[in-house]
Amino acid sequence: MADTTARTFPEDFVWGAATASYQIEGAADEGGRTPSIWDTFSRTPGKVLNGETGDVADDHYHRWAEDLEHIKNLGLDAYRFSISWSRVQPHGSGPLNPEGVAFYSNLVDALLEAGIKPVATLYHWDLPQELEDAGGWPARETAERFGEYARLMAETLGDRVHTWTTLNEPWCSAFLGYGSGAHAPGRKEGPAALAAAHHLNLGHGLAARAIRSVLGDDARVSITLNIHVVRPHDTQSAADREAARRIDAVGNGVFLGPLLEGAYPENLLADTASLTDWSFVQDGDLETIHVPLTNLGVNYYDTNIVKAFDGEGTPEMADGHKVTDATPWTGCEDVEFPAKPGPHTAMGWGIDPTGMTELLARLTDRYPGLPLVITENGAAFADTVSEDGRVHDDMRVAYLHDHIDAVGQAMDAGADVRGYFAWSLLDNFEWAWGYDRRFGIIRVDYDTLERTWKDSAFWYRTLVTTKQLPPVAPIDYAGR
Ligand code: GBH
């Protein structure tokens, strides 16, 4: 909740903003870049709202120097971006493309010159199409290709990159890409999604090993997960609690187990036994995956309420899909996600800062000593440009305030949180929702590609430059 006293964050707490290659770069067919699965998917009619693609996006590829000025003017300590694999290694194997590499190399040098830490993600969902054609993430070969790509990038950008993040939200890559098909490559094959999840984990481990073999054991290596905060609809209902346990297993345990505990959770193996025998997990894989992380990146947007479907009436799914459609929740076809009461963002997602605190507390409890970084948090709202030419996005300011305050509460209770990155620096291509949903603290006019700071950008600048959370007037989200 909004309060009136300013909360102070540690001097060395890292404040940043985040983006991802396909969502901002455009220049899809320039500089030797080949199509990724998102080019193919977005160019397929019916996959993305209004048929929009990332062909131009924010044209960041050509306007990166201007965007860097915004990053500097915001006073950010760090900038989190991702590297387009098919821009730097067009065939997903073989030699690097010097023109693609130069783009990121120039960006990294310019960030360093400005005293801003480059935090690079190697994979934010844009698999080279050639690798998908060869089987994609359900194929083990893709993990090996990813490890090789990581090695080449470590050799090229090396320790100029402050922190190497291997993957962004592998849950989305595996279960939205190969389970529900809502994301590229749009395959609806539940069991293949489990194989994809394992090969993403394996790819992370191979990449971590490759980066450290090039840069030494001190290289800062991380992974970003969208960890789901799962709550039973009726805490008194054993069936709802069991539904929540299963969603936690296939939403969280499938990554946290191998990455941080060296094994897939027993209950996940049991829950999915009728779908797969997990024979894609080979000897030695878990040792490869279970390597030290410098920190764990956490993306948080909202909590999930889950309910066991009792077969009566129409099942409710918060994202609007029907229970009869392909589900991203492999093996949990009988679990509903009822729409939540209360305020929502333009994505239809709820607004629940308590989930942020709960998530950080749980991770701290289960993995003591593991440093945490919020690598994404933010909200889409229906922004409008006022007569004065400004964007008075007081809802986004309130959302950011309340969630950053929730991070502070978790830190007060002992969570070791080292940084926070707002999603996103710029309005951008919001995947299956195209340009319809705006997450930026900086507005992008998609006709002129002009950038305009929203009120949230000015507010965030005050926070990052003072390390104090500027108080905001309490807001009634629901009344808007
Ligand atoms: C992040 O993912 C991405 O990293 C980023 O690129 C994106 O722009 C940003 O968030 C905003 O969307 O209804 O069962 O299908 C978002 C994480 C994961 C949140 C899937 C919504 C819906 C689960 N999303 N989740 S389901």
Side-chain angles (χ1 to χ4, degrees), residues 20 23 80 124-125 168-169 171-172 176 180 226 228 299 301 304 318-319 321 328-329 337 347 349 376 423 428-431 439:
Q23 295 182 272
R80 174 177 182 255
H124 198 126
W125 307 354
N168 176 74
E169 299 192 352
W171 183 85
C172 295
L176 299 178
S180 73
N226 57 314
H228 302 84
N299 292 354
Y301 289 90
N304 300 272
D319 71 345
H321 83 264
W329 300 102
F337 288 67
M347 295 297 284
W349 302 345
E376 283 179 31
W423 183 269
N428 60 48
F429 177 79
E430 177 51 32
W431 307 113
F439 277 88

Side-chain angles (χ1 to χ4, degrees), residues 342-354:
H344 290 86
T345 70
M347 295 297 284
W349 302 345
I351 300 176
D352 188 354
T354 69

Side-chain angles (χ1 to χ4, degrees), residues 80-402:
R80 174 177 182 255
F81 61 97
S82 82
I83 295 170
S84 161
W85 187 350
S86 70
R87 192 181 288 293
V88 296
Q89 193 187 31
H91 302 289
S93 62
L96 292 182
N97 164 31
E99 205 175 334
V101 168
F103 171 70
Y104 298 105
S105 186
N106 291 337
L107 173 68
V108 164
D109 284 345
L111 286 165
L112 290 173
E113 200 171 309
I116 298 162
K117 296 177 171 67
V119 174
T121 299
L122 286 164
Y123 187 74
H124 198 126
W125 307 354
D126 41 1
L127 187 71
Q129 182 62 41
E130 275 191 49
L131 295 187
E132 174 58 29
D133 294 343
W137 285 109
R140 187 178 178 90
E141 177 78 6
T142 301
E144 284 157 16
R145 296 279 65 79
F146 183 69
E148 175 65 7
Y149 154 59
R151 183 180 67 78
L152 293 169
M153 292 315 295
E155 284 172 358
T156 309
L157 298 180
D159 60 9
R160 285 185 289 151
V161 163
H162 180 263
T163 303
W164 286 98
T165 303
T166 56
L167 305 172
N168 176 74
E169 299 192 352
W171 183 85
C172 295
S173 300
F175 295 96
L176 299 178
Y178 298 93
S180 73
H183 281 186
R187 287 164 58 180
K188 302 181 184 187
E189 307 161 26
L194 294 170
H198 176 64
H199 295 136
L200 284 152
N201 282 326
L202 181 62
H204 160 81
L206 293 170
R209 177 189 293 166
I211 293 165
R212 289 188 170 129
S213 78
V214 174
L215 300 174
D217 287 343
D218 294 343
R220 298 173 55 84
V221 178
S222 180
I223 183 169
T224 282
L225 302 179
N226 57 314
I227 299 171
H228 302 84
V229 179
V230 189
R231 295 176 178 161
H233 177 252
D234 175 1
T235 52
Q236 301 303 305
S237 155
D240 288 2
R241 289 200 308 269
E242 172 64 3
R245 183 201 64 68
R246 286 162 58 209
I247 293 295
D248 177 60
V250 77
N252 301 324
V254 66
F255 300 107
L256 291 171
L259 288 166
L260 294 170
E261 302 173 32
Y264 284 98
E266 286 299 332
N267 62 13
L268 173 67
L269 303 181
D271 292 346
T272 56
S274 66
L275 300 169
T276 175
D277 60 5
W278 290 79
S279 56
F280 42 75
V281 182
Q282 297 185 7
D283 283 354
D285 285 2
L286 290 162
E287 289 71 22
T288 302
I289 298 166
H290 185 211
V291 291
L293 293 173
T294 307
N295 60 55
L296 177 66
V298 175
N299 292 354
Y300 175 80
Y301 289 90
D302 184 24
T303 49
N304 300 272
I305 308 293
V306 302
K307 183 173 184 299
F309 181 49
D310 54 15
E312 303 273 323
T314 311
E316 286 180 78
M317 301 303 280
D319 71 345
H321 83 264
K322 304 199 174 48
V323 145
T324 47
D325 292 347
T327 175
W329 300 102
T330 300
C332 301
E333 288 74 9
D334 54 342
V335 177
E336 291 185 80
F337 288 67
K340 296 200 295 188
H344 290 86
T345 70
M347 295 297 284
W349 302 345
I351 300 176
D352 188 354
T354 69
M356 174 75 94
T357 311
E358 179 183 324
L359 172 59
L360 296 170
R362 278 205 200 170
L363 288 169
T364 300
D365 195 45
R366 183 127 186 172
Y367 308 109
L370 176 67
L372 305 170
V373 174
I374 307 302
T375 39
E376 283 179 31
N377 173 239
F381 289 109
D383 300 324
T384 51
V385 182
S386 297
E387 303 256 301
D388 58 6
R390 320 231 351 196
V391 180
H392 300 301
D393 59 338
D394 50 346
M395 303 274 279
R396 184 174 291 100
V397 171
Y399 180 99
L400 293 173
H401 173 278
D402 292 356

